[in-house]
Every structure is written in structure tokens, then in C-alpha cells.
């Protein structure tokens, strides 16, 4: 068997890369060791977490907010087994969708674990131990990432869980402690808080959502605290002891000091993810990695070994499904002789809590550090008609624009639908737009998107409803 391209891994990076390559006429195959396609994202990441976020949000709405809307119901009863089936149905629908797309695009699928025997040769080992050698002009590594672990704290996926175990809990833990105040920890913490857990988040840094705009993080922490989240910031977890009644977690101030203990029924370790390259044979081939284990690539996604490329979570950049997808498209286009490219300055990121948090471009901290003069336009959802009528007034839109040219450099939103609203800013920024461009675009009334227009107007201090 001989191909133009073999893609290793069918997560959002790999399967999208394979489809684009096939569209462009390359004879393409994929290798996947999981039984289903879609990688982390579809199986144990984006999709199942969003299913549980949606269902738990509905549950909380029915329990706490319906009465205010004039909808009288008996207090809703949680059927967690059914909620988990709802989640699984969503996962199955999506993974089968990828299977269909691979078939439709005439992409050959090899089920098994891939090892790169040499440039141009991929060895596939099936579950039954069978071996196949596949010849190919080019190889794209899209093997993704794995859960990062804390030394000395063993994840058993029952009482000490990773995100994977936290998506599978069969009962609501009374006390959930989340280690790590990043996106995954706050999303899954939200799911279980809505369903009844007391949630405490322990974070090493003195802030939540590291990397996001500081003003946004501070405001968002206030909103989450109002919802019942407890935070222990600047705290370093040193020990987790399992007992008959759960887990005793020991932590101490990150700057040094006396240790404290906290009891939990379940502990979620959500301190990040690490690139996954196990068993690929990269060391033998001399493929270079950086000091964080990420495969080093050039601007064309090529490793230092001719014919071997890498994309997605396994290389540098934000560990996000859409970043992996865009890289998949770009490398397929490059291999087909086109000009594939990813604009890393305009990659949105979203926290799918309620309210949502969404951001694109530079934060205020980044602009200050780079010495770039900027103007800020901020508009609160309390002054947006639609948010007011819906009682979803938590949050704001913040537009950061270059002080000289007015070019939009960053947009940060906390609010209902923030994850959809951010795309207006993404398009404006992709086209090199200014805050005035957004401000002069007609926005339908009454929509939450009017807050984006008002924030753009606020850059020149001419917001109407504030
Ligand atoms: C709980 C959670 C929630 C998330 N939510 C979001 C979200 O809302 N939005 C977002 O953008 N991102 C989210 N992410 C991150 C997102 O899932 C990843 O960024 C994305 O899946 C990376 O895609 P990828 O193609 O690089 O790798 P992956 O999706 O990790 O896929 C890699 C694939 O390669 C396969 N593989 C590995 N080694 C081999 C081998 N040797 N041979 C054959 N196959 C192999 C694996 O089985 C896997 O299927 C979330 C992650 C988690 C854990």
C-alpha cells in the first residue's frame, strides 16, 4: 500500500487534515488507535463536556430560574444516568459523523497504533498484535495530548479523576475539589456545582484562567464566587491521601507557609495537558522536540526530518480543537502545493461556563508588556436591552484598539453567548478592521451583539446606552 499522505491520529487536527488532503486529490490514509474517531475532542473533551454543560445548565435553570419566568414546575429531579446517556448519544453521533466523512472522502482507515519506522514508512500494530507496513510520501503526526499529572498524586478515575473521569461520574460528589483554575477545571467544576456539589478550586497561581485578560479573570472569579465556587488561590497541592470517606488534600501557600487540609469526595486534577508522542519512534528518527516535549516544526509544519510534519496539540500553540483543525487544513494545502497558513494572532478561545468567557487577540497585559499604546472600549451587559430582559446581565464586552491606527488588537467578553459573539471580533480582526468598522456596522436590535457594537463605540467614548 502506498499513499501521498498518512495522518497519524484522527482527532480534529488529523481527520480535518485528511479530508482536506483528499479534497485536493492526495491519496490519503489515517491511522487511529482508538475504536472511534474524533480524538480527545469528540470522545473525552469538547463534545462530552459541552453535553454535560448544556444539560446541567438546563437543570439549574429549571430549578432556580423558571419560577421567575412564570413557569411553575415541581422541583426537577436529577436522573444522572439519563444525563450521561444524553452525553454519550452526542459523542456517538459526532464520532460516527467523522467515520462517515472519512468514507465519503475515500480515505483509507487503519485501526491500530502507528510507529514511524522511517520517513515514508508507517508501521501499524493492531489490537491483535498484527503488523502492517504502509508506504507514504508524507506523514502528518496529529497524536494530540494527554492529561498532565501531579507527581505523587495517582489518578484512579474514581476518587481522584482527570477530566476523563470527571465526565463519567455516576453520582454527584458532595464535595468536589478541583486542582487547577483553567478552562477545563472551571467548566467541569460548573457541571457538578449545578448538579449539587460543593466545589472548591485550588490553584497554584494567584488568579484564575491564566493567560486570559486579567480584568476578565478577576470579574469572572467574582461571578463564579457568587454562584458558590470557593477558591484557594496561590496554593500548592502537596499531597492527596485516600481514605474510607474520600480524599484528604494537603496544600500550602505557593510562596511558602503553613500547610492546610481539605476533605473531598472526589478530586479533579485539571492542571493542563501534555503533548502525546509515546511509541511513535521519534527519538530513533531524530525528530526534535522542545523542552516541553512538543514536536518542533517550522512555519510549514515540517519537522527537522523531511517528509514528517506535525499539527495540533502535539506542537506549540494553544491546545484547542479549532487551532488543530486550521493547522490540519494548512498542512494539507501546503502538501498539495498551495499556500496554507494559520493566523495565530486571531485564534478565539472560549470558556463554556455560564456566563461564557470568550477572547481573541491580545490581552491588556500583553499590550502593556509589548509597549503598544491602546484605547479601551468597555460596555456592560447591564446596559444591553436583550440581556436585561433575559436577566443575563453578568459581564461585559471589552474592545482593545491601537491608539494610533484604531486597529482592533483584542476583544474580551464575559456574558451569555460570549462564545458566539466573539466571532464578530474574529472576522473584524482577520480583515484588519478597526473599532470604528465594528461601531459603524448595523447590529440587529434587540441582540446581545449590540453590546459588541457599543463597546466598539466606547473606544471613542461615544457609546449610546451608557
Ligand atoms: C475535557 C476537555 C474539554 C475540552 N474542550 C475544548 C473545547 O471546548 N474547545 C476546544 O477547542 N478544545 C477543547 N479541548 C481541547 C481539544 O480536545 C484538543 O485541543 C484537541 O482534541 C486536539 O486535537 P488533536 O487532533 O491535536 O489531538 P487529539 O484530539 O488528542 O487526537 C489525537 C488522536 O491521535 C490518536 N493517537 C495517538 N497516538 C497514536 C498512535 N501512535 N497511533 C494511532 N493513533 C494515535 C489518539 O488516539 C487520538 O484519537 C478540550 C479538552 C478536554 C480534555
Amino acid at each position: 500500500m502506498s499513499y501521498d499522505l498518512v495522518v497519524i491520529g484522527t482527532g480534529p487536527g488529523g481527520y480535518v487534515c485528511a479530508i482536506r488532503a483528499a479534497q485536493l486529490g492526495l491519496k490519503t490514509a489515517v491511522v487511529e488507535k482508538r475504536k472511534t474517531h474524533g480524538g480527545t475532542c469528540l470522545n473525552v473533551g469538547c463534545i462530552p463536556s459541552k453535553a454535560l454543560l448544556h444539560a446541567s445548565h438546563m437543570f439549574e435553570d429549571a430549578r432556580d430560574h423558571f419560577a421567575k419566568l412564570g413557569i411553575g414546575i415541581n422541583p426537577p429531579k436529577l436522573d444522572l444516568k439519563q444525563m450521561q446517556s444524553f452525553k454519550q448519544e452526542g459523542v456517538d453521533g459526532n464520532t460516527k459523523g467523522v467515520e462517515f466523512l472519512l468514507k465519503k472522502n475515500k480515505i483509507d482507515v487503519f485501526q491500530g497504533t502507528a510507529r514511524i519506522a522511517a520517513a515514508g514508512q508507517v508501521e501499524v500494530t493492531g489490537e491483535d498484535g498484527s503488523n502492517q507496513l504502509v508506504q507514504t510520501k508524507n506523514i502528518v503526526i496529529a497524536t494530540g495530548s494527554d492529561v498532565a499529572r501531579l507527581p505523587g498524586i495517582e489518578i484512579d478515575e474514581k476518587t481522584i479523576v482527570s477530566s476523563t473521569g470527571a465526565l463519567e461520574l455516576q453520582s454527584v460528589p458532595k464535595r468536589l475539589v478541583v486542582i487547577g483554575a483553567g478552562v477545563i477545571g472551571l467548566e467541569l467544576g460548573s457541571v457538578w456545582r449545578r448538579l449539587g456539589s460543593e466545589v472548591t478550586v485550588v490553584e497554584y497561581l494567584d488568579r484564575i484562567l491564566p493567560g486570559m485578560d486579567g480584568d476578565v479573570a478577576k470579574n469572572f472569579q467574582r461571578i463564579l464566587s457568587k454562584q458558590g465556587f470557593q477558591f484557594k488561590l496561590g496554593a500548592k497541592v502537596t499531597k492527596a491521601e485516600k481514605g474510607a470517606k474520600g480524599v484528604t488534600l494537603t496544600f500550602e501557600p505557593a510562596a511558602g507557609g503553613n500547610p492546610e487540609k481539605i476533605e473531598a469526595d472526589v478530586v479533579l486534577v485539571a492542571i493542563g495537558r501534555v503533548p502525546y508522542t509515546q511509541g511513535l519512534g521519534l527519538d530513533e528518527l531524530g525528530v526534535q522536540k522542545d523542552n516541553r516535549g512538543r514536536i518542533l516544526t517550522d512555519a510549514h509544519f515540517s519537522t527537522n526530518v523531511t517528509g514528517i510534519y506535525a499539527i495540533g496539540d502535539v506542537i506549540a500553540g494553544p491546545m484547542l480543537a479549532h487551532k488543530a483543525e486550521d493547522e490540519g487544513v494548512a498542512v494539507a494545502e501546503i502538501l498539495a502545493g498551495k499556500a496554507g497558513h494559520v493566523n495565530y494572532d486571531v485564534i478565539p478561545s472560549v470558556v463554556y461556563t455560564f456566563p461564557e468567557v470568550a477572547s481573541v487577540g491580545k490581552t491588556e497585559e500583553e499590550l502593556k508588556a509589548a509597549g503598544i499604546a491602546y484605547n479601551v472600549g468597555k460596555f456592560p451587559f447591564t446596559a444591553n436591552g436583550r440581556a436585561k430582559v433575559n436577566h443575563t446581565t453578568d459581564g461585559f464586552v471589552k474592545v482593545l484598539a491601537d491608539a494610533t491606527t484604531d486597529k482592533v488588537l483584542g476583544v474580551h467578553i464575559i456574558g451569555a453567548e460570549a462564545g458566539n459573539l466573539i466571532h464578530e471580533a474574529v472576522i473584524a480582526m482577520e480583515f484588519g478592521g478597526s473599532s470604528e468598522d465594528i461601531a459603524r456596522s448595523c447590529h440587529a436590535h434587540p441582540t446581545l451583539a449590540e453590546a459588541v457594537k457599543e463597546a466598539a463605540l466606547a473606544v471613542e467614548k461615544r457609546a449610546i446606552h451608557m
Side-chain angles (χ1 to χ4, degrees), residues 84-114:
Q84 291 288 15
S85 310
F86 163 79
K87 177 203 76 184
Q88 197 52 44
E89 226 175 89
V91 168
D92 294 344
N94 276 283
T95 57
K96 288 208 177 84
V98 174
E99 193 180 319
F100 164 79
L101 289 173
L102 292 173
K103 213 174 274 168
K104 181 182 159 206
N105 284 282
K106 302 191 171 44
I107 294 161
D108 287 348
V109 174
F110 292 91
Q111 189 82 49
T113 302

Side-chain angles (χ1 to χ4, degrees), residues 166-298:
L167 290 165
E168 291 292 330
L169 297 179
Q170 299 303 315
S171 64
V172 179
K174 188 170 173 318
R175 301 155 305 175
L176 173 70
V177 173
V178 181
I179 307 177
V183 179
I184 293 175
L186 296 181
E187 287 186 358
L188 294 176
S190 286
V191 166
W192 295 106
R193 184 200 57 73
R194 292 166 185 169
L195 300 181
S197 298
E198 293 160 17
V199 178
T200 306
V201 180
V202 184
E203 164 62 50
Y204 182 81
L205 298 174
D206 59 0
R207 54 163 294 171
I208 67 167
L209 292 180
M212 278 225 177
D213 188 272
D215 172 29
V216 166
K218 211 182 290 162
N219 275 279
F220 187 51
Q221 190 187 332
R222 213 171 292 146
I223 292 168
L224 291 178
S225 299
K226 257 193 326 190
Q227 294 177 358
F229 269 88
Q230 307 256 17
F231 289 98
K232 306 267 183 203
L233 301 183
K236 181 180 164 189
V237 173
T238 54
K239 214 183 332 174
E241 290 160 293
K242 276 193 262 179
K245 286 195 183 144
V247 186
T248 306
L249 211 61
T250 309
F251 60 93
E252 59 189 39
N258 291 333
E260 275 182 63
K261 285 187 193 300
I262 186 170
E263 303 292 327
D265 299 293
V266 172
V267 171
L268 162 59
V269 181
I271 56 162
R273 296 184 61 81
V274 290
Y276 184 80
T277 55
Q278 219 172 297
L280 282 173
L282 299 188
D283 292 341
E284 294 88 323
L285 288 160
V287 172
Q288 285 172 356
K289 294 187 226 158
D290 68 13
N291 57 4
R292 290 164 66 180
R294 301 175 298 193
I295 297 175
L296 278 173
T297 53
D298 65 13

Side-chain angles (χ1 to χ4, degrees), residues 383-437:
N384 171 271
R386 188 67 181 277
K388 250 183 162 142
V389 80
N390 286 353
H391 288 209
T392 56
T393 50
D394 273 340
F396 56 79
V397 179
K398 180 161 87 170
V399 174
L400 306 175
D402 188 285
T404 314
T405 64
D406 191 37
K407 185 176 175 182
V408 178
L409 302 173
V411 176
H412 307 276
I413 308 176
I414 305 180
E417 301 287 333
N420 285 327
L421 296 176
I422 199 69
H423 292 93
E424 170 173 3
V426 170
I427 301 289
M429 287 174 70
E430 192 61 46
F431 281 80
S434 62
S435 78
E436 189 182 353
D437 289 327

Side-chain angles (χ1 to χ4, degrees), residues 347-364:
I347 294 183
S349 102
V350 180
V351 190
Y352 296 87
T353 44
F354 192 87
E356 291 180 343
V357 182
S359 100
V360 60
K362 300 280 184 256
T363 63
E364 286 204 57

Side-chain angles (χ1 to χ4, degrees), residues 9 13 32-34 39-41 45-46 50 114 143-144 313 319-321:
E32 174 55 57
K33 65 177 184 164
R34 257 200 185 92
T40 303
C41 175
C46 324
K50 266 79 254 179
T143 48
D313 278 10
M319 286 182 162
L320 292 169

Side-chain angles (χ1 to χ4, degrees), residues 47-92:
I47 292 297
S49 61
K50 266 79 254 179
L52 288 185
L53 278 158
H54 175 68
S56 61
H57 181 56
M58 293 281 139
F59 178 72
E60 186 178 47
D61 252 359
R63 185 185 60 203
D64 301 343
H65 304 135
F66 273 18
K68 236 191 252 161
L69 272 63
I71 306 170
I73 52 165
N74 287 326
K77 248 179 57 200
L78 177 64
D79 180 349
L80 186 55
K81 199 162 166 232
Q82 175 55 30
M83 199 177 275
Q84 291 288 15
S85 310
F86 163 79
K87 177 203 76 184
Q88 197 52 44
E89 226 175 89
V91 168
D92 294 344

